[in-house]
Amino acid sequence: MEANTLFLTLSLLLLLCFNVCITLASDPDPIQDFCIPKPITSPHHHHFSTNLPCKNSSEVTTEDFIFSGLKTAGTFTKTGFATVPVNPTNFPGLNTLGMSFVRADLKPGSINPPHYHPRATEVTHLVKGRVYSGFVDSNNKVYAKVMEEGEMMVYPKGLVHFQMNVGDVTATILAGFNSQSPGIQKIPSVVFGSGINEELLMKAFGLSLKQIGTFKKRFDPLMSSEH
């Protein structure tokens, strides 16, 4: 039953993402039917680049257009959040098509913290559970509600959005993007984990140096790895 629900959800997301990609495409239009990328060994090459060299069509197989990794949840973090990203890196058939996907699972009470995607609009579908979901527009107005199973929500490109599981079971969300490389910037990590000058942060948020240090230990990947 759950497998059928996931299949229907993915079909709907593919259709919606296809329409969004046509009207709001943020990636270059493809110049051929498809481009299954050749394996790249250079560490300096961007994994999501749309100008990867293509395999010869004689080398392409049906398996290049199939992805089975959304059947189960990803690895949960200590905070109870798991994701399975789907992009040309693990699903070659998506290359140059201007779309990508993600499966997100949230244990009861866990969150997907405020973040945004600089290069894509996101369409989400709640497969299971109850999730408080929303986004904030450029006028600082919040659009949010508790989503029920089967409902969808769209997060406009570049706007901060968030999710929190307010139900009693693990929630499952499937989402589609109109870019194969939507990018992601999580607000807490951007502010406190990027190395912004501490004095500036103190003045911007009215925090003490000690408080800034506490946040940096939590969100700075270099400092958190030392503890």
Side-chain angles (χ1 to χ4, degrees):
M1 182 68 179
E2 184 174 342
N4 290 336
T5 303
L6 284 173
F7 173 77
L8 291 173
T9 299
L10 283 171
S11 299
L12 182 58
L13 279 174
L14 280 168
L15 178 61
L16 287 171
C17 193
F18 178 73
N19 288 325
V20 170
C21 288
I22 292 176
T23 57
L24 299 172
S26 58
D27 291 354
D29 288 333
I31 58 174
Q32 63 275 317
D33 292 341
F34 51 80
C35 174
I36 305 302
K38 290 183 177 180
I40 299 298
T41 57
S42 171
H44 304 295
H45 203 289
H46 198 295
H47 289 293
F48 304 124
S49 173
T50 56
N51 61 355
L52 294 171
C54 308
K55 284 184 180 179
N56 187 290
S57 59
S58 63
E59 302 174 29
V60 176
T61 69
T62 301
E63 293 304 311
D64 289 318
F65 303 99
I66 301 293
F67 182 77
S68 303
L70 292 183
K71 294 179 180 179
T72 57
T75 302
F76 283 93
T77 65
K78 293 180 180 179
T79 59
F81 181 60
T83 60
V84 179
V86 186
N87 52 59
T89 298
N90 56 2
F91 189 4
L94 288 178
N95 189 47
T96 73
L97 300 185
M99 61 175 66
S100 56
F101 303 89
V102 67
R103 169 177 173 157
D105 291 87
L106 300 90
K107 291 185 177 181
S110 66
I111 68 168
N112 186 4
H115 64 282
Y116 67 94
H117 306 286
R119 296 183 291 274
T121 291
E122 178 181 356
V123 179
T124 64
H125 180 267
L126 182 59
V127 177
K128 184 177 69 172
R130 299 177 71 244
V131 172
Y132 174 68
S133 174
F135 66 90
V136 183
D137 72 8
S138 56
N139 293 315
N140 246 21
K141 181 177 179 179
V142 178
Y143 296 85
K145 66 162 288 184
V146 174
M147 295 177 63
E148 305 290 344
E149 289 185 11
E151 292 188 318
M152 302 185 71
M153 190 168 194
V154 61
Y155 308 127
K157 177 181 177 179
L159 295 187
V160 172
H161 52 280
F162 47 84
Q163 296 154 339
M164 178 172 66
N165 186 348
V166 295
D168 299 322
V169 300
T170 297
T172 299
I173 298 170
L174 293 178
F177 305 91
N178 67 324
S179 171
Q180 70 178 49
S181 178
I184 183 171
Q185 290 200 292
K186 297 182 179 181
I187 304 304
S189 298
V190 168
V191 174
F192 297 105
S194 61
I196 295 176
N197 181 274
E198 292 179 345
E199 182 181 356
L200 186 150
L201 294 176
M202 291 169 61
K203 292 179 177 179
F205 296 100
L207 299 174
S208 67
L209 183 60
K210 182 178 180 180
Q211 290 172 318
I212 294 295
T214 299
F215 283 119
K216 291 189 70 173
K217 285 180 181 179
R218 180 174 180 180
F219 297 111
D220 188 326
L222 295 178
M223 296 185 67
S224 61
S225 63
E226 298 173 358
H227 295 270

